[in-house]
Amino acid sequence: MDHFKTNGKKGILYVVSTPIGNLQDITLRALQILKEVDLIAAEDTRHTLLLLRHFDIRVPMTSFFEGNELKKREFILSRLNQGERIALVSDAGTPGISDPGYRLIRLAIENEIAVIPIPGPSAAITALSVSGLSTDAFFFKGFLPNKPKKRRDFLKKLEEVKETLIFYESPHRLNETLKDIFEVLGDREMALTRELTKMYEEVRRGKVSEIRNQIGENKLKGEITLVVSGKTRKKIGEMGG
Ligand code: SAM
């Protein structure tokens, strides 16, 4: 087990990142921690069981998802207070990033329990890293609002943002969202990343209009992260009077 400053007899909450597709992306340290903890708090225990089976890890699990978060927070806290070491994992990537976890992590901190990150993949950074768009500053939103009006209003607020924009998107809303991005933010450079690290991984780069034309009426499937250029200065010649 890693050696960290812990708080007396209290336990440790490990925030463990897991692969976003390819199981080989698990880190050695994540494997070690998952093997050694007393309990794994998983967003979906059936999903995490596949990961654990693959790596022959046999540790008790408890579910921790949005619907039962309130009740489970107290349960997990009481076990941490009794000195247990608990790993928090989500279905994919880094817990707390558009996934449950944040409030549990806050509660642990407020109760002076050591919270230790076990870093690894996150779809946002993975997508950004291959987007070809500026990486020095970026704005991550996670999922845009579901309702069309709210989504457009949110995008409108991002119009002046110069940093690269990163959004998670579900395939059934993709075409609508691309239309909104085109209409509200304009015909910017973007990268549509899909199924990263998986068998059907793809990255489409181009103007929003080009990506929309490529997709047409087709419904793409799988996990999608969009990376959109921030507002850039217009080139001479493009500027209006
Ligand atoms: N906590 C996770 C992380 O750190 O990446 C994100 C969780 S969020 C509920 C799930 C969303 O992440 C998906 O709907 C999709 O937008 C994006 N995502 C997850 N896996 C992906 C992948 N392999 N390729 C592209 N996007 C992915």
Side-chain angles (χ1 to χ4, degrees), residues 195-212:
E195 295 286 89
L196 292 169
T197 78
K198 301 187 198 180
M199 192 180 308
Y200 297 106
E201 170 178 295
E202 76 168 351
V203 181
R204 296 169 187 248
R205 303 179 185 85
K207 295 267 187 197
V208 182
S209 58
E210 291 163 352
I211 308 277
R212 288 186 71 204

Side-chain angles (χ1 to χ4, degrees), residues 54-121:
H54 184 86
F55 292 108
D56 198 22
I57 297 173
R58 294 150 204 265
V59 166
M61 272 199 286
T62 189
S63 66
F64 180 79
F65 51 89
E66 256 171 39
N68 75 355
E69 216 188 308
L70 207 64
K71 211 171 66 193
K72 274 299 169 74
R73 269 196 327 240
E74 293 305 324
F75 167 74
I76 293 169
L77 181 66
S78 75
R79 302 214 24 185
L80 288 166
N81 275 327
Q82 288 162 35
E84 290 198 1
R85 292 155 309 167
I86 299 183
L88 172 67
V89 300
S90 59
D91 284 355
T94 304
I97 308 299
S98 294
D99 265 339
Y102 162 73
R103 288 188 201 83
L104 173 66
I105 291 162
R106 266 215 79 89
L107 191 67
I109 295 166
E110 282 161 13
N111 284 272
E112 298 182 343
I113 284 159
V115 176
I116 300 197
I118 308 297

Side-chain angles (χ1 to χ4, degrees), residues 17-22 43 90-100 120-127 140 142-143 167-171 193-198 201-202 222-226:
S17 299
T18 56
I20 58 168
N22 191 324
E43 185 182 359
S90 59
D91 284 355
T94 304
I97 308 299
S98 294
D99 265 339
S122 183
I125 301 296
T126 309
F140 169 66
F143 293 97
F167 307 113
Y168 288 155
E169 192 47 278
S170 91
T193 71
R194 192 165 72 90
E195 295 286 89
L196 292 169
T197 78
K198 301 187 198 180
E201 170 178 295
E202 76 168 351
E223 311 248 42
I224 294 167
T225 299
L226 303 175

